[in-house]
Amino acid sequence: MNYPKLGFVFYGGCASLDLYNTLRRRKDPKSTTQDLLEQDDGLKKWFLEAQKKATWTSSIPSLSESAISQQVSDKVQSQAIQIRGIIEKLINKNASSHEITKLNVLAQLRPHWELSLNDGLLIAKNTLDLEALLGYVAEDCIQLFTSNISTNIKECAQDRCGIVFLDRSNGAKRNWCSMKTCGNRAKALRSIERKSDS
């Protein structure tokens, strides 16, 4: 089967799972795992695309102009990969106390608004740079894994996919990361198998 060129997907249902899903084909034995954060300015590209496709971005401001114009620093890149690794440990229920502490520290970086006075006018300015974005993701992760809905975190049923998502469907019956991709592939495969059996 032909697979489309890999890009960011926003099937997770929340910021932390969408960040986790930037590591693609982690389960595919026929392909090399691809880290989409490793591309130039990967974290910034991920968030800018998330703003177009992911509903969770409506709860935070846009990136500040300075953050958009700057390259992703090595420090922020390392923090993003650390958070993604901690999310994986939490999914697999084997996070260490050191990793939990690191997540708590990163969550303190979450974005906020600052008030300033400029020529007699009050101006609200957001603090959403890339580090604050990671703080938001870390806080989202904490809220996710301490809520009952964390039991609805699933991995796509397509055995080579590896995308995880929060199943909010009625009765938690969702099996695929997306019906447009893995769901349709599964249907096509079943159709081929039925034809070959007859």
Side-chain angles (χ1 to χ4, degrees):
M1 253 182 211
N2 291 327
Y3 285 81
K5 182 180 176 183
L6 290 181
F8 296 115
V9 293
F10 300 94
Y11 304 144
C14 62
S16 49
L17 295 185
D18 280 342
L19 183 73
Y20 177 67
N21 288 330
T22 58
L23 195 60
R24 301 291 307 278
R25 292 189 173 156
R26 68 170 70 82
K27 283 188 64 183
D28 191 341
K30 297 182 180 180
S31 177
T32 305
T33 300
Q34 295 184 30
D35 187 345
L36 301 185
L37 289 183
E38 290 289 351
Q39 61 181 290
D40 287 342
D41 287 334
L43 179 66
K44 181 167 53 176
K45 289 175 182 174
W46 170 75
F47 182 65
L48 293 175
E49 194 167 333
Q51 286 187 301
K52 300 173 189 173
K53 298 179 179 178
T55 56
W56 55 262
T57 60
S58 64
S59 64
I60 55 174
S62 299
L63 280 175
S64 62
E65 288 183 18
S66 60
I68 291 173
S69 63
Q70 291 171 357
Q71 285 193 309
V72 178
S73 69
D74 290 344
K75 176 188 175 186
V76 169
Q77 176 76 5
S78 174
Q79 288 171 326
I81 291 169
Q82 275 185 328
I83 289 177
R84 189 177 60 192
I86 294 168
I87 294 166
E88 181 169 26
K89 293 288 189 76
L90 288 166
I91 289 170
N92 294 325
K93 298 179 173 55
N94 61 359
S96 69
S97 58
H98 172 73
E99 288 160 332
I100 298 294
T101 300
K102 180 68 177 174
L103 191 69
N104 288 333
V105 169
L106 289 167
Q108 298 307 307
L109 302 171
R110 64 190 177 279
H112 57 277
W113 290 89
E114 292 180 347
L115 192 63
S116 63
L117 191 61
N118 188 355
D119 292 332
L121 294 174
L122 289 174
I123 298 171
K125 181 181 178 184
N126 84 65
T127 62
L128 188 64
D129 58 16
L130 291 171
E131 203 166 35
L133 170 62
L134 292 178
Y136 173 84
V137 173
E139 185 177 55
D140 175 77
C141 182
I142 291 167
Q143 291 174 348
L144 172 62
F145 285 95
T146 56
S147 68
N148 291 335
I149 200 167
S150 65
T151 59
N152 287 11
I153 295 173
K154 292 183 177 179
E155 189 173 75
C156 181
Q158 210 279 349
D159 59 0
R160 291 173 57 191
C161 176
I163 295 292
V164 297
F165 57 89
L166 196 52
D167 185 358
R168 290 190 173 102
S169 66
N170 288 336
K173 294 180 179 177
R174 180 177 162 192
N175 292 314
W176 315 106
C177 63
S178 169
M179 279 306 298
K180 292 178 182 177
T181 54
C182 289
N184 278 342
R185 287 187 199 118
K187 282 184 178 180
L189 188 58
R190 283 196 300 270
S191 177
I192 291 168
E193 287 171 349
R194 279 195 300 267
K195 286 177 183 175
S196 64
D197 288 344
S198 50

